Amino acid sequence: MKKLFTITFLIFLSGFTIPFLAIAQKEIPTKDLLYLKDGSVLSGSIRYNPKKSAETVILISEGVEKSYSVNEADGFLFEFQEKYVIKDLNTKDFDSKRFFSRLIIDGDLKLYQLFGRFYIEDQSGKIIPLQKSEIGEFTKKEKSSKYHLSILSFVTQGDCSSNKGSSLDKVQLNDESLSDYLVDYLACLGSSFTSYVDNRPRAQLNYYAQIGGVHTRYKYARESVPVRQNIQKNTIPAITTGVRLDELRGKPRVSMDFLLGITSQNNSLDYFYEDNVYRYVGTSNYSLFSLTGNWFVNYTLLKKQKFDLYAGVGPMTRVNFFKEEFGIAERIRTTSGFTVLDEGKTFDAVPYTLGLGYKVGAVLMKNTRSRITAELIMDFTPRSVNINIANRSNLDQFNTAFMIGYSFRQLKK
């Protein structure tokens, strides 16, 4: 018991020291702002998906959900400092005033984005697209094109165009590269500006711990002796701990779990096998201590304000420390009834296994700091144990676990 407690503590401690601590942790305000055409400002939580509807935005305030169109709203500002406005971008293929455009840089030079395309407004108010075409997804040829560099060269002239190593020919056609270049350029000029870029960390780190039970079944593997067997205790307690990465930048429904766990059992296995000559009846009393390592990639199927439903898949490894306390096999000759007792090691676990795990989970309670989860986890591990009789029989392992978890974020410093 003392050994089990010590290893549990070490595994839990590892969750605080792994390299993911390098990911920036930042307390983020919880209110988005919606600017209406009558001059009023509403606050709450904003949902906006430009790929589905670039002309409407949904505001959730005090539990009430309401949709606003470009006819009612002038724009909105996310709490992580990403801003959208209504702007006439002088587009040729569509009317840009009918949609919300993202405002990335606001100053003597302005940078906008609409439907994945970028537009720059110079000091005279002239708006120039940074790509030849103005609608549709970027093609491979467009991504490698230097067309945007000639436009930037035209609107950012002088010594500041290569300020602080921000060489113009290295600027790529994406929001991060364009905004970095323009920020350096405007700062070099001493011009006032505001940069509306996503200030969230690229991922959120959560410490995660689970406790529950694992139900184990064995089935003989293909091309193996078909031994029937029965475990005395099918369900054993399990503990896991580690980290969960969620709120990935650009992939809000994806999360990852990196977990270490332990299981410990004193158990008994009975088995039976019969061929043309002998009938084998055996028993093995054993102890098995296992260290587990899990990596799950999860996808949120349903995301609500206070409830999430997700599914995950990933590899699962086990390091097994096995000891057979007692093993005996009774060989009965079917023709004569002659019986031989063989005492020795009849059951064994593979020292290291690799399997595949699946899970369905739900976030039952959540706030800005913590989560309570429930997960149903299933994994398959081929040839994890074997029974040694006339011929060695390999058994596949099937595990089903139900785990209750608690996760919390790094405390604000």
Side-chain angles (χ1 to χ4, degrees), residues 47 99 307 347:
R47 289 211 307 261
F99 309 100
F307 176 83
F347 177 63

Side-chain angles (χ1 to χ4, degrees), residues 22 34 36 38 63 86 89 103 147 157 164 219 247 251 256-257 260 311 315 319 333 340 347 365 402 408:
L34 179 67
L36 299 182
D38 62 7
I86 299 174
L89 299 175
L103 175 61
Y147 179 81
Q157 301 181 27
K164 297 180 180 179
K219 291 186 177 181
E247 298 183 13
K251 293 180 174 58
M256 295 185 186
D257 296 334
L260 298 175
V319 179
R333 194 175 183 89
V340 178
F347 177 63
M365 297 179 62
F402 181 75
F408 61 93

Side-chain angles (χ1 to χ4, degrees), residues 26 28-29 31-33 35 76-84 102-104 194-200:
K26 186 175 181 180
I28 299 173
K31 299 294 183 182
D32 303 323
L33 301 178
Y35 304 99
F76 51 94
L77 176 66
F78 284 109
E79 39 85 11
F80 51 82
Q81 296 301 300
E82 197 172 89
K83 190 171 185 177
Y84 288 80
R102 182 183 169 196
L103 175 61
I104 302 174
T194 303
S195 175
Y196 294 104
V197 295
D198 193 336
N199 62 9
R200 293 173 296 180

Side-chain angles (χ1 to χ4, degrees), residues 62-79:
E62 297 181 353
V64 179
E65 184 175 308
K66 186 176 179 181
S67 177
Y68 294 86
S69 70
V70 293
N71 298 321
E72 302 167 285
D74 271 334
F76 51 94
L77 176 66
F78 284 109
E79 39 85 11

Side-chain angles (χ1 to χ4, degrees), residues 218 269 284 286 322 324 345-349 385-388:
Y218 293 116
L269 180 129
S284 174
Y286 63 92
F322 179 85
E324 187 174 46
K345 191 169 187 178
T346 58
F347 177 63
D348 195 13
V385 299
N386 57 75
I387 296 175
N388 296 294

Side-chain angles (χ1 to χ4, degrees), residues 165-407:
S166 300
S167 179
L168 180 60
D169 59 4
K170 295 181 181 179
V171 180
Q172 300 177 20
L173 193 57
N174 59 60
D175 56 350
E176 185 175 0
S177 184
L178 290 171
S179 62
D180 286 347
Y181 174 76
L182 291 176
V183 163
D184 286 344
Y185 175 77
L186 293 172
C188 175
L189 291 178
S191 174
S192 61
F193 65 92
T194 303
S195 175
Y196 294 104
V197 295
D198 193 336
N199 62 9
R200 293 173 296 180
R202 294 191 178 275
Q204 176 68 54
L205 175 66
N206 304 270
Y207 301 123
Y208 195 24
Q210 295 177 311
I211 187 169
V214 180
H215 181 81
T216 300
R217 294 178 298 116
Y218 293 116
K219 291 186 177 181
Y220 64 87
R222 294 182 60 184
E223 301 178 357
S224 185
V225 175
V227 175
R228 298 204 309 265
Q229 30 64 41
N230 180 61
I231 308 175
Q232 186 180 68
K233 301 174 186 176
N234 290 90
T235 303
I236 57 174
I239 300 172
T240 63
T241 185
V243 294
R244 168 169 288 184
L245 292 179
D246 60 8
E247 298 183 13
L248 303 180
R249 184 84 66 85
K251 293 180 174 58
R253 289 182 176 266
V254 176
S255 63
M256 295 185 186
D257 296 334
F258 301 88
L259 301 173
L260 298 175
I262 55 173
T263 59
S264 181
Q265 58 179 296
N266 291 307
N267 218 332
S268 178
L269 180 129
D270 300 319
Y271 59 88
F272 174 85
Y273 170 70
E274 185 175 21
D275 58 22
N276 294 329
V277 180
Y278 286 101
R279 181 186 300 119
Y280 295 86
V281 179
T283 296
S284 174
N285 298 328
Y286 63 92
S287 61
L288 177 61
F289 180 83
S290 299
L291 298 175
T292 63
N294 309 332
W295 174 36
F296 280 104
V297 178
N298 310 312
Y299 183 80
T300 301
L301 305 171
L302 180 65
K303 194 176 184 69
K304 296 293 184 180
Q305 192 170 6
K306 293 186 178 181
F307 176 83
D308 292 347
L309 179 66
Y310 57 90
V313 62
M316 302 186 67
T317 64
R318 285 183 175 85
V319 179
N320 298 313
F321 299 91
F322 179 85
K323 182 179 180 181
E324 187 174 46
E325 309 292 345
F326 171 77
I328 190 170
E330 184 180 43
R331 288 188 298 160
I332 305 173
R333 194 175 183 89
T334 54
T335 56
S336 63
F338 180 75
T339 300
V340 178
L341 291 178
D342 294 324
E343 187 174 348
K345 191 169 187 178
T346 58
F347 177 63
D348 195 13
V350 178
Y352 173 81
T353 62
L354 177 63
L356 184 64
Y358 310 86
K359 71 176 174 181
V360 177
V363 178
L364 303 178
M365 297 179 62
K366 61 179 177 178
N367 55 42
T368 57
R369 280 294 184 197
S370 61
R371 305 281 192 274
I372 295 178
T373 63
E375 294 185 349
L376 180 66
I377 306 171
M378 296 160 285
D379 72 271
F380 165 72
T381 303
R383 298 175 178 266
S384 66
V385 299
N386 57 75
I387 296 175
N388 296 294
I389 45 178
N391 295 304
R392 175 166 149 163
S393 178
N394 296 301
L395 306 182
D396 297 331
Q397 183 177 2
F398 296 83
N399 295 304
T400 303
F402 181 75
M403 308 292 287
I404 297 295
Y406 177 75
S407 66

